[in-house]
Amino acid sequence: MEVERVQAIASLSLSSDTIPAEFVMAETEQPAATTFLGPIPEIPTVDLSDPDEQNLVRSIAEASKEWGFFQAVNHDIPAEVIRRLQEVGTEFFGLPQEEKEVYAKAADAKSIEGYGTKLQKDKNGKKSWADHLFHRIWPPPRINYQFWPRNPPSYSLSIGLGLEGQVLKEAVGGEEVEYMMKINYYPPCPRPDLTLGVPAHTDLSTLTILVPNEVPGLQVLKDDHWIDANYIPNALIIHIGDQIEIASNGYYKSVLHRTTVDKEKARMSWPVFLEPPPEFVVGPLPNLLNPQNPPKYKSKMFKDYAFCKLNKLPQ
């Protein structure tokens, strides 16, 4: 069965100035009705070149506790590397449809790797305005080059970042952490007031490191308000994921976020999800627990956690 891609639907929709009904979100989720328009709280920006290590640790910890989210600047990843990453991803989504379909995820695949469109609808029966490409980029034995595009020829990537102390790092996979890359492609949309590129969700990862393009769209929930994240050139957007929330027994928050789309331009983002190995058991760190702070989460293998989350089953 041939899957209809959002990129193709967008091409038809732009000429009619309407979008199919299955993309129109419930009114409680429509960006025009729910984006916060009051005085905007300042989303944390962390300068990773801060020579005062105590101040840097405090800034990261506070942002992770209060927001589950921050933008990292002066991170030492060259602007040219980020530019090339954006360039090859943009080129891939500019390929003819039949070339992209070479990398399509098989309908019966157990892995999420490959080119695709999220087929499952949300709780209100609505679809997201986005296509994507998923593939694992680290460690080398876990890479499946079947899903690495050969066109454009320059498709390659090297990215790494370390933020947390050793104890928390070991609790969520240590040196065995796997890096899953995704490219999100949100085509121009004639009714960006009614739909979402991605509905509200938290990431099931340990940590997510995201590079956006210059088209705004990321929103985070803070104090029951959906707040726009400003675009900062060359900044990395850091999302605290579910596994850090679990390991910290809820001290750090996995950020609830969503993506809006643009009427004129394609929005793109390049998240890298840092995930424990499938069989690795994540649970609240024992040294954080006491009678006043009992475990709030079950300990379980990451693959079981991911299965429950992706299939909307109770944890």
Side-chain angles (χ1 to χ4, degrees):
M1 183 184 75
E2 192 169 308
V3 176
E4 194 170 20
R5 304 300 181 191
V6 176
Q7 198 169 359
I9 294 168
S11 299
L12 298 172
S13 299
L14 288 172
S15 56
S16 65
D17 209 36
T18 60
I19 57 175
E22 64 263 30
F23 291 97
V24 177
M25 295 290 161
E27 195 171 334
T28 52
E29 296 180 28
Q30 290 173 11
T34 56
T35 298
F36 185 56
L37 301 175
I40 296 176
E42 193 168 340
I43 289 174
T45 299
V46 174
D47 184 347
L48 295 185
S49 69
D50 188 341
D52 184 339
E53 189 172 343
Q54 278 189 314
N55 187 58
L56 178 59
V57 169
R58 186 167 56 247
S59 299
I60 291 171
E62 285 177 1
S64 301
K65 184 174 186 289
E66 297 300 321
W67 288 80
F69 173 89
F70 58 92
Q71 300 213 49
V73 296
N74 298 322
H75 44 67
D76 286 344
I77 295 176
E80 174 65 11
V81 172
I82 291 176
R83 186 195 66 76
R84 280 175 49 219
L85 171 70
Q86 293 170 319
E87 195 173 72
V88 295
T90 304
E91 283 181 42
F92 174 79
F93 279 95
L95 292 173
Q97 193 58 40
E98 60 272 18
E99 284 196 53
K100 292 196 288 280
E101 293 295 345
V102 169
Y103 305 101
K105 178 176 90 74
D108 58 352
K110 292 202 166 47
S111 167
I112 60 174
E113 289 187 273
Y115 169 65
T117 300
K118 187 176 179 184
L119 296 177
Q120 67 184 121
K121 298 174 181 178
D122 70 7
K123 62 182 185 294
N124 297 309
K126 301 301 181 180
K127 290 183 177 177
S128 306
W129 193 263
D131 296 325
H132 63 252
L133 174 67
F134 261 117
H135 61 76
R136 205 169 263 103
I137 59 174
W138 192 262
R142 293 279 286 152
I143 294 172
N144 185 344
Y145 286 102
Q146 172 190 348
F147 297 116
W148 281 58
R150 285 172 283 284
N151 194 1
S154 54
Y155 198 99
S156 60
L157 169 73
S158 176
I159 189 168
L161 190 69
L163 288 176
E164 300 293 338
Q166 294 303 310
V167 175
L168 190 53
K169 179 179 173 182
E170 292 304 321
V172 291
E175 295 301 326
E176 296 177 1
V177 161
E178 298 181 359
Y179 291 44
M180 175 75 85
M181 169 131 167
K182 185 184 185 189
I183 306 177
N184 291 308
Y185 183 83
Y186 310 102
C189 178
R191 296 301 307 269
D193 55 323
L194 299 179
T195 192
L196 289 168
V198 178
H201 67 287
T202 62
D203 291 347
L204 59 81
S205 61
T206 294
L207 199 68
T208 302
I209 303 169
L210 180 141
V211 173
N213 72 350
E214 74 287 350
V215 180
L218 179 63
Q219 295 186 333
V220 295
L221 191 71
K222 179 76 164 77
D223 301 329
D224 294 325
H225 295 304
W226 284 109
I227 296 166
D228 289 306
N230 291 334
Y231 171 67
I232 301 175
N234 293 320
L236 297 176
I237 296 174
I238 312 296
H239 296 242
I240 300 301
D242 295 350
Q243 306 311 305
I244 282 184
E245 178 170 325
I246 292 166
S248 70
N249 204 36
Y251 183 83
Y252 293 127
K253 298 290 180 246
S254 186
V255 62
L256 192 65
H257 57 288
R258 69 183 189 183
T259 298
T260 62
V261 293
D262 190 86
K263 188 164 188 172
E264 310 292 337
K265 300 174 184 169
R267 180 172 191 270
M268 293 186 70
S269 65
W270 291 258
V272 175
F273 303 100
L274 278 61
E275 302 177 347
E279 313 272 327
F280 192 90
V281 175
V282 179
L285 278 163
N287 54 344
L288 295 178
L289 305 178
N290 56 51
Q292 289 72 45
N293 186 31
K296 299 181 177 76
Y297 310 86
K298 294 176 185 171
S299 296
K300 60 172 64 177
M301 284 193 285
F302 176 68
K303 67 177 184 180
D304 295 335
Y305 180 89
F307 180 84
C308 291
K309 176 140 181 167
L310 294 171
N311 292 284
K312 299 182 170 61
L313 300 172
Q315 296 284 359

